[in-house]
Amino acid sequence: MEFCSAVGSDQYDAVVRAGRRLLVALDFDGTLAPIVDDPTAAHIHPDAPLVLDKLAAEVRGIAVITGRPARQVLALGGLDEVGDAIAEHDRELVVLGQYGNERWTSYERRVITPKPPPGLSGLIRELPRLLREAGVPDAWIEEKGLAVAVHTRRLADPEAAFAQLLPALAEAARERRLAIEPGRMVIEIRAGGMDKGRALSSLVSELEASAVVFVGDDLGDVPAFEAALKVREAGFPALLVCSGSEEQRALREIVDLVVDGPDGVMQFLRVLAADVAAAHVSK
Ligand SMILES: [Mg+2]
């Protein structure tokens, strides 16, 4: 493994030694699943179920922390079945949807969802007009329950459309006290007050994990990387891994390791599982 931070190699060794106290948290799109033109068809990497199962046997827990609704990611990831397999090792799979606002666990097996934020339904009604005024009437609107996403990936010039839309949507979100989340050719508007960083921090405490690995690929993952750094500042090991792409290079500055997209994530998790298992044996 070629680490890109000065501390990467030491942090990796320390998370390996943490073994049963280690929480491995992963983003979904671009990390566990390849980015595709139709986000409703972003199925999990075919190797993921087996890789997650192997890893779960060696660590404290595995979490998927995503902007998607929890039910959607459960379906696209086949995570119900992954949870069944993980339960065999008496380990838990936690799925935190909509940036941590929704929660599903392989123990409880139901999605807990809060009410949609005030202002969201009004904004959704206004969206067709806002898109027309921004000159991007054909952007695809995806209602997500607690959020709405506007996708530009399938337009003729996705990047120009994204740039045209961002200021208009940021203003509309600000007026209604909603949060805006720019991603890879998608802009989301959602409830404020929760992000992947808060989601990760509370899960670390809840599981009493004393080491964390977080893998993400996009700007919405930055708060989770920062939460992982806080774990490190508190004196516990934390490894920050970026599922790299040409589309999103901003994260490369803050992480310890860049792997090559979902294929690279699978390879990393395989090696991590094997190293943790070997460390258990040698104890
Ligand atoms: Mg992602």
Side-chain angles (χ1 to χ4, degrees), residues 27-31 33 35 65-66 184 196 216-219 221:
D27 165 55
F28 187 76
D29 288 88
T31 299
I35 299 277
I65 306 180
T66 174
R184 288 166 66 176
K196 289 189 179 187
D217 76 310
D218 206 351
L219 297 179
D221 298 313

Side-chain angles (χ1 to χ4, degrees), residues 245-267:
S245 68
E246 286 308 309
E247 223 169 71
Q248 183 55 270
R249 305 184 69 90
L251 300 180
R252 290 168 189 245
E253 308 295 311
I254 58 170
V255 299
D256 302 307
L257 178 66
V258 179
V259 299
D260 186 14
D263 282 333
V265 173
M266 292 305 124
Q267 186 53 24

Side-chain angles (χ1 to χ4, degrees), residues 119-138:
L120 183 64
S121 62
L123 183 129
I124 290 171
R125 281 195 299 276
E126 292 280 297
L127 265 182
R129 181 181 63 77
L130 287 169
L131 299 194
R132 274 198 310 276
E133 287 175 4
V136 194
D138 297 327

